[in-house]
Amino acid sequence: MRRFTEESVWRKSVDQEDIVEKQLQNKGRSECGTDIKDELHEECGVFGAYNLKGEDIANWVYYGLFSLQHRGQESCGIAVSENRDIRYYKDMGLVSEVFTPENLDKLHGDIAVGHVRYSTAGSSVRANAQPLVTKYIKGTLAIVHNGNLVNAVDLREELEKNGAIFQTTIDSEVIAYLVAKERVTSRSVEEAVAKAMQYIKGAYSLLVMSPRKITAARDPFGFKPLCLGKRDDTYVVASETCALDTVGAEFIRDLEPGEIITITEDGVKSNRQYCNMFKPARCIFEYIYFARPDSVIDDVSVFASRIMAGRILAQSHPVEADMVVGVPESGNAAAMGYSLESGIPYGQAFVKNTYVGRTFIKPKQSMREQSVKIKLNVLKENVKGKRIIMVDDSIVRGTTSANIVTMLRNAGATEVHVRISSPPFKFPCYFGTDIPSGDQLIANHHTIDEIRQLLGADSLGYLDCDRMNEMVKDLEYCDACFTGNYPVDPPTRDIRGDMEV
């Protein structure tokens, strides 16, 4: 079944939560009975580096992964190649927890790939952490992958019927097996990757490290970001430009949807045989929520896109108020945009505890009301007696937003108007985002006014689907989670839980 983190969710008071739960008909429970988090997660982030002078590079990957930590907090790992020998270290936890100076010092090599993970397909266990290191007749490969394949289950079953033995439950191992299989009859790893791409469908930004090269590939729809940079004698490939900035690398360009690049001692070469096969379908939620605001994806500033989303909200859903506030961190830029467009002052209403990890002790039933305050607290002197516009990036099940509205009212806000910088979620995602099935999405079975009442808000406004293109300068994107218009046919079995859909 689908996995969810053990981290506690923000809660309403017990009485109000019971109303929401009753309205949702007690849906949205995992098999073990833990609550689904009312927030979204990207599946993972990838980072690779190749030093042309033969110098150790693991530290670069460590810092690159640290800057991509927002893309996955469950596990991480680094694989390095030195003298045709690939070694790796991976474990559950944050980058700063998993990698110590001692185990980093053991990772010698001038080529390296790394990964941070949040599980949307496959269990959250050490065996499913990446990189996946595969030994086969031609040698050894290390693979890291961001995204989900829609045909992973079918491919896996077909491979198993032909004798394949899998060690993990993640679709990334299907890719690894296909690449290794194709490599046996190919002249190079990059040719094997190109052949494997004929079979895999869905979202993938992929790095494949063989002993003397890195091959990077972005799926033909361009669902997930992937970019190339360079600093002095080191090439870098990463999920986001913020990771390039962290290691001081200069941005060269984004990989095109469908492009394969290979980095060797001779530099970078490109294979565009899968480019322009389909209309691009970049994940719009990279711009709304997932990516760090200081990143630039496909020539569009993430920060600027969120400012624009706030401006659009102010145009579409104006209201008289005293202050605009953002729910940290992803709501802040949109709140600034709303303020700039409306002329209503932007202010701070929340203090976020940035030191809360994903494993903090879950409060008992009697302490549900306090669990939100572990992560977030209200600046009472800033909101007391004021009409507040609260801007957030999304509403999934509604419990988080309802909690925060309650907190603002308890702090003395006279009115709370909620503005959401995305349209209502109505459909699940199969491409690497853990948007749950439709029956768990509050917007799928409630009107906007019903949602407003459940949140306890004075008004509620969402970003209009028809205006999302203004956020990203008419860039082509996937909006299936809002519209149900999937660029690739959804799987007959849910790859996030291997169940019939």
Side-chain angles (χ1 to χ4, degrees):
M1 294 293 291
R2 189 179 299 110
R3 293 282 302 184
F4 302 96
T5 64
E6 294 296 327
E7 182 179 357
S8 298
V9 298
W10 287 331
R11 290 290 195 177
K12 296 185 75 168
S13 66
V14 174
D15 289 341
Q16 289 172 315
E17 185 188 48
D18 288 343
I19 294 172
V20 175
E21 289 296 327
K22 196 172 294 183
Q23 291 284 345
L24 295 177
Q25 300 176 342
N26 292 315
K27 293 175 180 176
R29 301 282 176 175
S30 71
E31 231 174 24
C32 61
T34 55
D35 292 323
I36 294 172
K37 278 175 61 61
D38 190 29
E39 39 186 278
L40 300 177
H41 293 273
E42 173 58 65
E43 183 177 355
C44 53
V46 300
F47 188 95
Y50 190 121
N51 182 272
L52 301 177
K53 286 190 173 181
E55 299 170 352
D56 285 347
I57 205 69
N59 281 340
W60 283 54
V61 181
Y62 170 84
Y63 289 115
L65 294 182
F66 197 87
S67 68
L68 296 173
Q69 188 74 85
H70 59 286
R71 299 186 72 86
Q73 298 89 44
E74 290 191 355
S75 65
C76 59
I78 296 174
V80 297
S81 176
E82 181 184 37
N83 298 323
R84 300 189 178 276
D85 180 29
I86 291 180
R87 294 187 298 276
Y88 66 95
Y89 185 83
K90 60 183 179 180
D91 208 343
M92 306 300 294
L94 303 174
V95 175
S96 59
E97 297 168 344
V98 170
F99 290 103
T100 64
E102 291 74 24
N103 56 39
L104 268 178
D105 287 343
K106 296 176 183 177
L107 295 175
H108 297 290
D110 55 346
I111 311 174
V113 293
H115 189 269
V116 290
R117 180 173 188 260
Y118 171 82
S119 60
T120 63
S123 301
S124 177
V125 294
R126 188 180 185 278
N128 287 339
Q130 298 184 39
L132 294 177
V133 178
T134 303
K135 293 185 179 181
Y136 68 116
I137 193 169
K138 289 268 189 172
T140 307
L141 298 174
I143 292 180
V144 293
H145 164 222
N146 173 209
N148 269 0
L149 306 183
V150 297
N151 63 338
V153 175
D154 293 335
L155 286 173
R156 186 185 186 97
E157 289 181 351
E158 182 180 342
L159 291 167
E160 287 175 333
K161 288 176 182 177
N162 288 294
I165 299 173
F166 290 91
Q167 305 297 319
T168 77
T169 60
I170 57 176
D171 55 358
S172 305
E173 191 176 13
V174 173
I175 301 175
Y177 192 94
L178 286 171
V179 172
K181 181 175 179 290
E182 294 297 335
R183 178 66 182 93
V184 175
T185 57
S186 300
R187 293 168 296 178
S188 63
V189 172
E190 54 268 37
E191 183 181 324
V193 170
K195 288 181 178 178
M197 286 173 64
Q198 298 176 64
Y199 305 104
I200 56 180
K201 298 178 182 179
Y204 53 91
S205 282
L206 181 70
L207 302 183
V208 180
M209 182 180 73
S210 52
R212 294 312 310 157
K213 65 181 68 171
I214 291 178
T215 302
R218 190 178 183 189
D219 72 74
F221 291 93
F223 283 109
K224 302 299 177 183
L226 196 61
C227 61
L228 174 68
K230 188 181 182 186
R231 175 183 170 184
D232 301 327
D233 297 297
T234 300
Y235 282 101
V236 176
V237 186
S239 290
E240 294 183 36
T241 58
C242 66
L244 304 184
D245 297 337
T246 298
V247 298
E250 181 181 355
F251 171 78
I252 296 176
R253 63 180 179 87
D254 294 287
L255 271 68
E256 297 177 27
E259 185 180 8
I260 305 167
I261 65 167
T262 305
I263 305 173
T264 67
E265 60 186 7
D266 298 321
V268 179
K269 65 177 183 179
S270 173
N271 176 348
R272 290 180 167 83
Q273 72 181 85
Y274 293 111
C275 294
N276 303 311
M277 288 184 63
F278 306 105
K279 178 182 177 181
R282 302 166 182 89
C283 176
I284 190 63
F285 230 73
E286 292 286 349
Y287 300 95
I288 294 170
Y289 175 69
F290 291 138
R292 249 177 51 171
D294 52 329
S295 287
V296 177
I297 301 174
D298 291 320
D299 297 322
V300 174
S301 160
V302 174
F303 182 76
S305 69
R306 293 175 188 172
I307 290 287
M308 179 55 70
R311 286 186 176 276
I312 295 169
L313 279 173
Q315 295 165 8
S316 305
H317 302 284
V319 65
E320 291 186 6
D322 302 305
M323 184 167 68
V324 184
V325 304
V327 177
E329 300 291 333
S330 54
N332 289 341
M336 292 174 62
Y338 195 107
S339 172
L340 289 169
E341 185 69 22
S342 66
I344 300 170
Y346 171 81
Q348 183 178 356
F350 305 104
V351 175
K352 185 177 181 181
N353 184 354
T354 57
Y355 298 99
V356 175
R358 53 174 292 274
T359 56
F360 71 86
I361 297 172
K362 195 171 186 176
K364 296 180 180 179
Q365 181 79 11
S366 60
M367 292 292 289
R368 280 181 167 184
E369 188 176 359
Q370 278 67 43
S371 65
V372 61
K373 296 178 182 178
I374 296 172
K375 276 192 167 184
L376 202 68
N377 209 356
V378 178
L379 289 167
K380 295 179 181 179
E381 61 271 27
N382 271 16
V383 304
K384 187 176 181 179
K386 293 180 181 177
R387 299 167 296 173
I388 302 296
I389 298 172
M390 183 189 94
V391 182
D392 204 354
D393 61 86
S394 60
I395 300 176
V396 185
R397 293 181 69 221
T399 51
T400 296
S401 298
N403 290 334
I404 302 173
V405 170
T406 299
M407 289 173 62
L408 288 170
R409 291 201 184 280
N410 289 343
T414 58
E415 296 177 13
V416 180
H417 302 274
V418 177
R419 298 294 180 265
I420 304 299
S421 60
S422 64
F425 281 121
K426 293 187 177 181
F427 303 91
C429 175
Y430 301 100
F431 310 115
T433 304
D434 70 337
I435 297 172
S437 57
D439 62 351
Q440 297 163 12
L441 297 169
I442 192 170
N444 199 38
H445 44 275
H446 288 285
T447 66
I448 291 179
D449 191 60
E450 287 172 341
I451 297 170
R452 178 196 64 76
Q453 293 178 50
L454 289 169
L455 300 186
D458 292 282
S459 69
L460 171 63
Y462 286 90
L463 188 73
D464 192 328
C465 246
D466 294 335
R467 299 194 66 182
M468 283 195 299
N469 62 306
E470 298 175 45
M471 292 173 51
V472 292
K473 301 178 181 178
D474 293 318
L475 202 68
E476 292 172 307
Y477 55 84
C478 174
D479 61 2
C481 52
F482 310 125
T483 65
N485 298 322
Y486 294 100
V488 181
D489 289 338
T492 55
R493 285 179 294 181
D494 192 335
I495 55 178
R496 302 162 308 162
D498 194 16
M499 64 182 181
E500 297 296 329
V501 294

